[in-house]
Each structure stands twice: as structure tokens, then as C-alpha cells.
Amino acid sequence: MTLERPPVAHHRPHGRRFAPLAELIPVPARAEAVPGSSFAAGPATTLWAGPGTESTERWLRATLGAALGLPLTPGAEGAGDSASRLSLLIDASLEPEAYRLTIDETRAEIRGGAAAGVFWGAQTLRQLFGPDAFRRARLRPGARHSLPACVVEDAPRFGWRGMMLDVARHFMPKDGVLRYLDLLAAHKLNVFHFHLTDDQGWRVEIKRHPKLTEAGSWRARSKWGHRNSPLWEERPHGGFYTQDDIREIVAYADSLHITVVPEIDVPGHSQAAVSAYPHLGNTDVVDTEALAVWDTWGVSKNVLAPTEDVLRFYEGVFEEILDLFPSTFVHVGGDECPKDQWKASAAAQARIKELGVDGEDGLQSWFIRHFDTWLTERGRRLIGWDEILEGGLAEGATVSSWRGYRGGITAAKSGHDVVMCPEQHVYLDHRQDGGPDEPMPIGFVRTLEDVYRFEPVPTELTEDEAAHVLGTQANVWTEVMENQERVDYQAFPRLAAFSEVAWRRLPAPAERDFADFERRMTAHYARLDALGVDYRPPGGPLPRQRRPAPEGLTDADLGRPIEGPPPNV
């Protein structure tokens, strides 16, 4: 028996209570109805795609055409070849990701400053067609699909509008990753930060080091809940992406104008790698031969040894990563690297003296500086979590500011680029409500409204310093998200609010019109339903989404709820 989603007061699967132009997410800079009849799309509607718009042409036929039953046969350039036509063209007067959508009685025209702008215009067009446009096949044969006569003009605030997905703690199969790329594109997000390695698993095939996936991609069991939970799931967990899988993911993302930024962690969060190749660890203070892929959460003390051999090993890893990922940026982690083993290791202490660095923090900085130089020589840019500031920031490094705003502020004031992703605001593993039914409650309560009022650029930055904020991203850490449904529940609907924050220059947080956003979400829930997203309903989790604690335990035993408002640090 299928458990249907119960109706919610403001959930509207069919019909249009609000004018389509007033239902768009992210809200565009300008959306105006104009006098004239609506545009009717049907079997005779043609599609003309100007040079440089081929990716959107293919997407429209494969996605929108399939959903609405529109053949979108090729049309000739210019007017008069069809009673209704879609037109795509590049307009150099616009910024690359900007677009102008014009709809009248006979045409729907999308102009973009570059191919990406045309594509984002097509995402707006899809929303105007209504929830049926988010299905994979036509629901209503013979139905007419009308669009209002209007002009929509829009452009993004930030060039980096991202989501990080952790597939190391819980592996997401390739099809799930491809599906998430579709979801990002539907929300005009353009960066997919792919967290591929950690203590709990190595998820990308490296041909010169096959044990990384043969041994490092599987753990014997998993902690069930937060690391303090007494429960375990007593079965192996793992998986990895072959290099052809990665090529497919990257190519698919590119067709959606999304950049995939890979993350390979050094020098911490490396127990999976050390378990596969014991010589990578601090062998003079720990029996690395006895290490296994870590089966619990948190921060392992088993970090990489500061040796030339380790550098050469990871240079080989990064050489293959660069072949797979064309992204300018390569993320090297650099966070949460315990120094205990280095402090106890005679070899590490000798290395500190040899290099002349300032203690263990200086040793971590040496790791990061080495790969900053190495990547720069190959035309790439290093990005790492804000701990890479410790011991001195590498010259070309970009900072992912996660522990709050402070790391990003420090980096921007020093002339370094920053991606703002403070955990107190946009870590989507944090719980969405303080109620007792939230599954595996982690961290602070971060409601839909809280995320909508997140501001990526701190007021402490001057205009020149703020220019170093490349953008923002929401992070999805999967310790307590063992499958796609759990990821959906944590990410949505908050990722929709985040997408508007990343796309539009909104008023100051306290002045934002959340009521209007919530009204627009009325239409958006229907789109998410059509896409099959298992989001958290506005009224709270469905029975199947809850996780009552076993007898004798509380939700706090399984999770890690933190009470009160998060600090604004």
C-alpha cells in the first residue's frame, strides 16, 4: 500500500491560486505582465536555437518537451515560420548568466549573455508552465499549455551558488548524484561540491592506487545516529565511482551549466586512505597496518604523515583528479586535522625542524602550501576549509568559511577569495524544527525562515573586501543521512530558500519578506512533488519520515540537538 502525502493547508497540487509570475523561485529582478494574449504551446510549436545555445535546446526537448508532450520541432530563424515558437539566442549586451525572457501571443524568446544565461531563462520558463513541466512524461494528452504575456529580466548576485554533498559518510549511488544535479539546476545553483574522501570512505577510483577503493571504500559497520549514539548498523557500507562514472557526472553537470568541484582531504580526515596504504600514516606512533576504514563519526586522529613519499602519493592522486574534473577549483579539505600524532612522532618533529615551520600548525600549512603551488603550476586553484588559515594562508588559496563568518572575513581582508558556508546558518544536516518528531536531530534549529534570512556577505567587509566573496553554498553532511530520502528531507525545502539567497541581492535579513517567499513556496511544493523530492512538509514530518528512538533511548541519545539560537561568529 502506498502512503500518500497528506494535504497541507497551503499545498496546492493543481490549479493556480496565484499568477504564475508571482510564483517564481528564485524571485527574479523584474517580472512584469504585458498587455496581450497568452502564448499557447502545442504540437505545432517550433524551437529555434541560435549559435551557442545548443545545450538548452537539447534540455528543452529532452526535459520540457517530454513532460508536456511537445515535439518542439526545429524552426527557422526569424518570424513567420510558426504560429507559436520558442527562440534561444545569445545577447552580448547581457552579463554571461543574465537572461531576458519575453513572451507574447506568438513567441517565447530567451536571450542570455552566454549559454548559461539562456539555460537559467529556460528554468524560469519551466516554472511558468506549472508543476506538470517537472514530470518525466506527459500527464494530460491533448492539454493546452499557456504562458502569460510577460517580460522577465534577471541576473545572479553571485557566481558561486553551490551545494556540497558528502558521499564519504554515506555513499550515494551515481543515479542519485545525477538526480541531485537536476535539482540544483532547477534552483539555478551552479556549483556541486563533491566531498569524495574522508575517514569513513574513499569514493573515487584512482587507477595508480587501486587499494583506495578496493579496501578504502568499504567499512564493516556504521554508527546509527550521532557518534554518541549507542546503536550500530551491523552491516558493511560502501561504494565508489569509477572514473567513467565521474566522467559521466561531470559531463552531465556541464550540460546543466553546473561546475563539479572535487574534494580530496589532506592532511586530516584520511583514515580510509591510511587503512588502504598504511605507509601514509604516522607509523612511528601508531600501528597503521591494524587500521580499518573508520566506522564511526567525528574526527579521527589518524592523519597523514608529513613525508615526501606522502606528497608524491597524493600528487599522483591529484593528477588523476585533474584529468577527471575540469573545474578551476580543487578542494583539499584541510580541516579538523588533530596534531596528536605529529606531536608524538619523532619523524614529524624532525620534519618541523627541517622545514623551519612554526610547530604543528606550520606543518599543516606546509601541506596546504605545497598543493597550492602544485595546483597553481597546473592552472588550477586550491580551495580549503577555513582551518587552512592556521599557520599562514597559502598565497593563492581560497577559503570555504564554515566555522562561522570569521574565517571568511579574515581571508577577505587579506585579499583572498571566499565561499561563505557558515555551519550556524547553512549546514542542512542541522534540524529544521525543535519538535520531538524530527528524525536524528542534529545541531541548532535552522528553519526555512532562518535559511531565507541568511546573508552571505558580512557587514564588516568594505566594498573592495566584499568583492572577494565569490558566493555561498549550503553543505549536506550525511552521517545521519543513509539514503536519498533522508538527504531530500534535510535539504528540502530549505535548499529552495537558500537558492534565492544565493541568486538575488535581497534586503537586509530582518527586512526580507518571508511571507511572500512562503506564499511562493505554495506553488513550489507542487513542483517538488512532481520531481519526487521527499521534502519535509510544512506541518512536520510524515509518519514514515519520523524515527522514534528505541525503548530506553531518547532522540537526544541518537542525535545531538543544541538548544538556543546559534552564535553569529
Side-chain angles (χ1 to χ4, degrees), residues 311-334:
L311 294 184
R312 299 293 88 75
F313 182 97
Y314 272 86
E315 286 172 359
V317 168
F318 281 115
E319 283 178 4
E320 295 193 28
I321 291 296
L322 297 194
D323 285 341
L324 295 170
F325 296 91
S327 165
T328 298
F329 288 94
V330 176
H331 209 292
V332 301

Side-chain angles (χ1 to χ4, degrees), residues 151-167:
V151 175
V152 181
E153 295 180 332
D154 209 3
R157 177 184 183 186
F158 295 114
W160 186 302
R161 308 180 302 279
M163 186 190 92
M164 187 227 67
L165 179 64
D166 165 27
V167 295

Side-chain angles (χ1 to χ4, degrees), residues 25 162-163 187 189 423-433 438-440 442-454 474-477 481 486-502 514 517 521 524-525 528 533 535-537:
I25 291 177
M163 186 190 92
H187 292 83
L189 298 173
E423 67 165 330
Q424 300 87 353
H425 302 275
V426 288
Y427 267 37
L428 301 186
D429 48 309
H430 283 214
R431 57 198 172 127
Q432 303 188 62
D433 190 87
E438 292 305 307
M440 298 290 186
I442 301 294
F444 298 103
V445 172
R446 293 287 82 194
T447 66
L448 182 67
E449 181 172 359
D450 290 331
V451 174
Y452 189 67
R453 296 192 189 281
F454 164 60
N475 294 340
V476 179
W477 299 102
M481 300 179 222
R486 284 288 293 125
V487 174
D488 279 5
Y489 180 90
Q490 292 299 133
F492 288 96
R494 292 182 296 181
L495 197 67
F498 174 79
S499 74
E500 185 151 310
V501 170
F514 178 70
F517 175 77
M521 280 300 300
H524 203 64
Y525 285 119
L528 296 178
V533 177
Y535 59 85
R536 181 190 187 277

Side-chain angles (χ1 to χ4, degrees), residues 207-228:
K207 292 187 179 296
R208 71 189 74 185
H209 302 308
K211 291 182 181 178
L212 287 171
T213 47
E214 290 172 2
S217 69
W218 287 93
R219 59 179 181 263
R221 62 177 186 167
S222 302
K223 176 67 72 172
W224 183 249
H226 185 256
R227 60 181 174 268
N228 293 328

Side-chain angles (χ1 to χ4, degrees), residues 336-373:
E336 296 180 325
C337 179
K339 312 298 192 298
D340 309 63
Q341 291 182 0
W342 290 350
K343 289 177 180 177
S345 166
Q349 293 302 310
R351 190 67 158 152
I352 288 172
K353 291 180 181 179
E354 175 190 348
L355 295 170
V357 298
D358 185 14
E360 291 77 24
D361 282 348
L363 201 55
Q364 178 170 342
S365 179
W366 166 79
F367 255 105
I368 302 302
R369 288 176 184 274
H370 174 83
F371 285 106
D372 179 61
T373 300

